[in-house]
Amino acid sequence: LLSGGSNELVVSAPLSELYPSNAEFRVTYDTSKPDLVAKCNLKKALRVNEQQWLILQLSDESSPPASPASSGTGSPPAGGKTAAGDEVLQPTLRIKLLLSGPYRPEINAIATASKNWFNTVDGFADAGGSAISSVVVELPKKVPALKYLLVPAVPLAAVSVALVPVLVGVLIVGLPFFLPFLAVIAAFGASVGAIGGVLYLSTRPGREKLSPMLSSAYTTFLHTQTGQRFIYDTGSRPTPKALAQTLLPKDMMAKLIVCLVVDFVGSSSYLLPGVGEVFDVAWAPTQTILIAAMFDHVSPNLKYVSFVEEILPFTDFIPSATYGWVREFGPVILGESGRKIHDLTVAVRGEKEALRETVGIKMA
């Protein structure tokens, strides 16, 4: 569909059909010259709802296909040389494309619910801001006697500080008995802290502090094909393994930290014997997906071992994730160490030979 007298061409079709398609552009001459054709794969060349300039290499249909499209405004590559040795430039087509489409229904629902939640929190903050200010700021000014409450508070604080070593000693002596209770208290405290953190991050100041980090992470994720398929309605959804491969780190040390965290979470069921095994039922598939995403290229069967050791009772101590890290990076570390030891041995041998020659010359 050509819009008005401009050069704009609009193709209307579901995003799930356009996204995996190949677009073909044809330049037709009025003369007897052959048509020039350029092709590009839309999902590799474009990002949804982001306008981009592309430079497409045109070629005769009878000639070999041109290289893929490149984005930007760089200089066209050379197309070869004539028999006389003159350089011939490859004809190109510079075109601006926009692939637009909707979010997935679940992503759209999450965005709508988040917007409504933020509006609700902002409403409560605006309504309660004056009341909180009157209690925190105005009340002490009107009732100066409140400062006298510090008189009994100081000795109570001193007694509490003095009792801390006693409480720590009791907890250490009775650790086997108190451990389940401490785990429950820690879980309750973590839940309260998480709820408080979510409430704070939902306010305007919290969103302003979190926005730069989340915006950067979201943009990086959206620039991947997995992110495009996850956010927009481009057809089939990415698998959990593909999502994990996109989100998890690739470098050696970051991967080691992730592996140690995975093994720690898997072994944490021992904190609550019996009850913790119920947690393994939910954690085992998650750990299997993470290990498959990180180490399928090194050890394809490790994910099955991980699932079995996590789902069976009393086998959670096996560090499956760390074992996968050793399988991937162990040979690299050992190879580098071997090369360094070899270089050191050669250097020491050379120094010994040089020392013998020096001693022999002096004795002569």
Side-chain angles (χ1 to χ4, degrees), residues 12 36 90 138 239 269 280 338:
S12 298
L36 297 179
Q90 179 76 28
E138 300 297 333
T239 62
S269 58
D280 291 342

Side-chain angles (χ1 to χ4, degrees), residues 10-284:
V10 180
V11 179
S12 298
L15 181 61
S16 57
E17 297 179 7
L18 282 176
Y19 184 72
S21 302
N22 292 318
E24 179 178 294
F25 302 89
R26 183 181 296 271
V27 178
T28 304
Y29 294 96
D30 293 334
T31 61
S32 59
K33 290 183 179 181
D35 294 350
L36 297 179
V37 178
K39 299 179 181 180
C40 74
N41 186 274
L42 295 182
K43 72 177 181 180
K44 293 182 179 179
L46 301 176
R47 290 187 288 270
V48 182
N49 294 332
E50 186 175 328
Q51 190 170 261
Q52 289 181 263
W53 281 98
L54 298 180
I55 298 177
L56 307 177
Q57 297 186 20
L58 295 166
S59 61
D60 186 355
E61 286 185 300
S62 60
S63 64
S67 60
S70 62
S71 59
T73 57
S75 302
K81 292 186 177 181
T82 62
D86 299 329
E87 186 176 348
V88 179
L89 293 178
Q90 179 76 28
T92 59
L93 176 66
R94 188 170 182 264
I95 188 170
K96 181 168 65 175
L97 297 177
L98 173 63
L99 185 64
S100 61
Y103 292 106
R104 291 195 180 275
E106 59 272 21
I107 300 299
N108 194 29
I110 292 173
T112 303
S114 300
K115 185 177 180 181
N116 294 335
W117 167 255
F118 293 147
N119 291 335
T120 303
V121 173
D122 291 343
F124 276 107
D126 294 338
S130 58
I132 294 174
S133 177
S134 63
V135 172
V136 175
V137 179
E138 300 297 333
L139 186 60
K141 294 180 180 178
K142 296 179 181 179
V143 187
L146 289 177
K147 64 183 180 181
Y148 296 113
L149 292 177
L150 293 175
V151 176
V154 172
L156 289 176
V159 172
S160 301
V161 172
L163 289 177
V164 167
V166 179
L167 293 176
V168 172
V170 172
L171 290 176
I172 292 175
V173 173
L175 185 61
F177 176 76
F178 290 119
L179 187 59
F181 298 99
L182 291 176
V184 173
I185 294 173
F188 177 76
S191 302
V192 173
I195 294 173
V198 170
L199 288 176
Y200 171 73
L201 294 176
S202 300
T203 61
R204 290 192 188 93
R207 296 201 299 269
E208 290 176 358
K209 292 181 179 180
L210 194 62
S211 178
M213 182 177 61
L214 288 184
S215 297
S216 177
Y218 175 75
T219 302
T220 303
F221 176 68
L222 196 60
H223 282 186
T224 64
Q225 289 193 20
T226 302
Q228 294 277 296
R229 293 170 55 201
F230 182 78
I231 299 295
Y232 297 107
D233 193 6
T234 58
S236 60
R237 292 168 173 79
T239 62
K241 177 183 173 182
L243 275 175
Q245 286 176 329
T246 304
L247 297 174
L248 290 173
K250 305 294 189 299
D251 60 289
M252 182 173 65
M253 294 309 300
K255 219 170 188 179
L256 176 60
I257 294 173
V258 172
C259 291
L260 293 175
V261 171
V262 169
D263 289 332
F264 173 78
V265 174
S267 302
S268 62
S269 58
Y270 289 119
L271 293 174
L272 296 174
V275 180
E277 299 299 332
V278 180
F279 168 76
D280 291 342
V281 176
W283 176 249

